[in-house]
Amino acid sequence: MTVLWTASDAATATGGCNQSDWAASGVSIDTRTIQAGDLFVALKDVRDGHDFVKLALEKGAAAALVTHRPDGVPDDAPLLIVEDVLQALENLGRFARQRTTAKVVGVTGSVGKTSTKEMLRTVLQKQGKTHVAEASYNNHWGVPLTLARMPQDADFAVIEIGMNHPGEIAPLAKLAQLDIAMITTVAAAHLEAFGSVDDIAVEKSAIIEGLLPSGKAVLNADIETAAILLGAAASHDVIEFGTTTSDWRVCNVRLNDHVTIITAMAHGQEYLFKLCVPGRHFAMNAVGVLAVVDALGADVTRAALDLFEWCPPNGRGTHETINLDEANEGNALTLIDDAFNANPTSMTAALEILAASTPRDGVGRIEKGRRIAILGDMLELGPQEISLHQAIVNDAAIDAFDVVHCVGPLMRHLWQLLPAEKQGECTNAADALRGQVAKLVDAGDVVLVKGSKGSKVSTIVDAIRNLGHRRG
């Protein structure tokens, strides 16, 4: 077993008191996924983690981080007792950061955080031992948990940092003590909690407060709020990426059904590389990733080649072939699963991908392959939510679609403005559309499902998958 935490180190980090000696190989907050040898952290959320300490120990946890001995737990159980479990987790993360020489990259942005984090995992793990959270652990417990899990001998670490309200990013960035801070973009997301996109930019730029004195900021130069980000980074070295900058410039992006071909320039050198999925927004993030690799002093040429191995995380633009007839390989549709989240910027990107796709004729009951959009509500947009949904009708990509199905009371405002020939079904909830998918899609179609997580259009994705046999 590789020891991540000894009882002594954990007590030093947290100021807690050990009830016995132990050594842990990992850190867990969930008994459903806990591994033997993990330190179980009894956080309070919807349920109190102390209620699960007994189960965690029965499953082989090395010890439990608690404020008291829970009922049913033996007197000799390996417990690390602290005053506040969340604060103790933060202290574990802080201690883990201080004891490693890893170069730490922090990633934030209104769109593309997780995809960019995974791109960085793909390229950096080829150049050194790389620590990255397996999920979107980007909040007040996710960031310290990711840090607490970081091996002491890591070469690189990538920390995703998110927010829903003002004041959340700076404390997490300071905890991570960043060598590189990257902002993918700033867009209209979480507007319920912010007065404007400028206010969102101010909050996103707070990641720079976590930069070490020698740290560098990697910033998107194309966005309207770039000046806010640059102002926040004035005391640090800045590397810009985008179509208008001379640092890492996106020269050309070509999309087809299966790949994105990108040409970029930096330091007078041209980089030509590919991604295994279509997406202009993916191309921009990929060039930002190369800027981060450059800032780290790692091998950029190798990273550009390795980017082809990256695939989007589930629900963030993955392309799947759904074979509707096991006896006929050609009787299939293409599903674009972008149902994890949505805001106006990511919606525009997803619509462009669908418009660039090529349906297949002559393989389904309808004979003509179609571009079909199934769109769910974009949530947390504040007072502008209706107008932002209505504005989708003006997106240039809409002309290329055969039919648009709308899910949710906000998307109804878009549906009402669509040309009659493009109006598909319009329902207030995903459940009402889910049962109709068999008659709404056909072999040869390319089907995009996009919406905020709360719209539950991911259940429609599952229903389409259940029509046949899935291939990535």
Side-chain angles (χ1 to χ4, degrees):
M1 180 183 80
T2 301
V3 175
L4 180 65
W5 289 101
T6 65
S8 175
D9 282 348
T12 300
T14 63
C17 179
N18 278 305
Q19 301 300 287
S20 63
D21 193 28
W22 51 268
S25 55
V27 182
S28 174
I29 61 170
D30 191 339
T31 53
R32 293 170 297 183
T33 56
I34 196 168
Q35 300 293 312
D38 283 352
L39 168 64
F40 177 67
V41 180
L43 290 174
K44 290 185 179 181
D45 191 28
V46 178
R47 296 283 302 274
D48 186 346
H50 289 78
D51 296 340
F52 299 92
V53 169
K54 182 174 182 292
L55 177 60
L57 294 173
E58 289 172 351
K59 285 190 166 187
L65 182 61
V66 296
T67 58
H68 61 277
R69 183 184 306 281
D71 293 339
V73 173
D75 291 343
D76 61 349
L79 303 179
L80 175 55
I81 298 178
V82 297
E83 291 186 5
D84 183 283
V85 173
L86 179 57
Q87 182 61 56
L89 178 60
E90 292 176 5
N91 289 336
L92 281 177
R94 186 173 290 106
F95 189 91
R97 175 65 183 99
Q98 291 170 349
R99 70 183 181 181
T100 184
T101 59
K103 295 291 185 181
V104 178
V105 180
V107 179
T108 194
S110 302
V111 183
K113 293 185 295 296
T114 302
S115 294
T116 301
K117 177 200 74 174
E118 292 302 320
M119 285 184 187
L120 284 164
R121 181 206 301 271
T122 298
V123 301
L124 292 177
Q125 67 186 1
K126 301 294 186 71
Q127 303 192 37
K129 185 171 182 177
T130 301
H131 174 66
V132 186
E134 68 273 15
S136 296
Y137 290 160
N138 61 24
N139 63 5
H140 64 289
W141 57 260
V143 171
L145 177 63
T146 301
L147 291 169
R149 289 172 165 176
M150 180 164 51
Q152 188 170 349
D153 61 347
D155 297 302
F156 305 107
V158 184
I159 311 295
E160 181 181 338
I161 302 178
M163 61 82 180
N164 291 307
H165 296 85
E168 293 181 327
I169 286 181
L172 299 177
K174 291 176 181 177
L175 182 68
Q177 292 290 284
L178 304 172
D179 294 283
I180 309 292
M182 180 189 184
I183 302 177
T184 60
T185 192
V186 175
H190 308 303
L191 277 173
E192 279 186 343
F194 293 88
S196 67
V197 175
D198 282 0
D199 292 337
I200 296 172
V202 170
E203 176 64 16
K204 293 297 183 184
S205 67
I207 192 175
I208 293 164
E209 296 181 37
L211 276 176
L212 296 169
S214 59
K216 299 177 182 179
V218 176
L219 307 176
N220 187 330
D222 280 6
I223 56 178
E224 293 182 2
T225 53
I228 295 174
L229 309 186
L230 289 169
S235 61
H236 292 276
D237 289 341
V238 174
I239 299 174
E240 299 179 32
F241 65 97
T243 59
T244 59
T245 178
S246 59
D247 292 336
W248 274 90
R249 183 163 61 89
V250 181
C251 302
N252 185 261
V253 178
R254 286 177 287 159
L255 309 182
N256 66 30
D257 286 345
H258 306 293
V259 299
T260 302
I261 303 170
I262 306 158
T263 305
M265 288 286 296
H267 310 300
Q269 180 175 346
E270 182 178 275
Y271 294 85
L272 177 64
F273 62 101
K274 294 191 291 187
L275 302 178
C276 71
V277 289
R280 192 173 304 276
H281 58 309
F282 291 146
M284 183 66 73
N285 291 340
V287 174
V289 164
L290 295 185
V292 169
V293 173
D294 186 19
L296 289 169
D299 188 332
V300 176
T301 301
R302 179 174 182 181
L305 295 173
D306 289 337
L307 273 169
F308 191 72
E309 298 183 19
W310 168 82
C311 290
N314 287 338
R316 292 178 171 89
T318 50
H319 284 55
E320 304 166 22
T321 298
I322 308 297
N323 190 14
L324 302 178
D325 182 355
E326 193 170 12
N328 183 356
E329 280 279 329
N331 194 23
L333 62 82
T334 298
L335 172 64
I336 305 173
D337 175 12
D338 208 343
F340 184 83
N341 217 335
N343 58 47
T345 299
S346 67
M347 182 65 73
T348 296
L351 298 180
E352 182 186 25
I353 292 172
L354 178 59
S357 68
T358 305
R360 292 182 302 128
D361 295 336
V363 294
R365 64 181 185 273
I366 299 175
E367 290 295 317
K368 180 184 181 299
R370 301 165 297 174
R371 298 182 184 91
I372 298 174
I374 300 175
L375 306 181
D377 284 351
M378 301 181 293
L379 303 177
E380 300 182 28
L381 295 181
Q384 303 175 54
E385 60 183 7
I386 292 176
S387 62
L388 289 171
H389 284 77
Q390 290 173 327
I392 297 171
V393 77
N394 298 318
D395 194 295
I398 292 288
D399 288 342
F401 301 167
D402 294 279
V403 62
V404 179
H405 304 294
C406 293
V407 177
L410 293 173
M411 272 299 167
R412 182 173 293 276
H413 295 285
L414 165 65
W415 185 86
Q416 291 169 343
L417 297 177
L418 289 168
E421 66 272 15
K422 295 186 187 295
Q423 286 180 326
E425 296 295 320
C426 183
T427 64
N428 280 331
D431 284 349
L433 193 68
R434 185 175 58 198
Q436 303 182 53
V437 293
K439 69 177 184 180
L440 299 181
V441 302
D442 190 19
D445 294 341
V446 182
V447 183
L448 166 70
V449 183
K450 176 73 174 174
S452 288
K453 191 172 184 178
S455 73
K456 299 184 179 179
V457 290
S458 61
T459 62
I460 297 173
V461 171
D462 292 337
I464 295 173
R465 285 179 180 147
N466 288 338
L467 293 176
H469 309 273
R470 174 187 178 191
R471 296 201 309 273

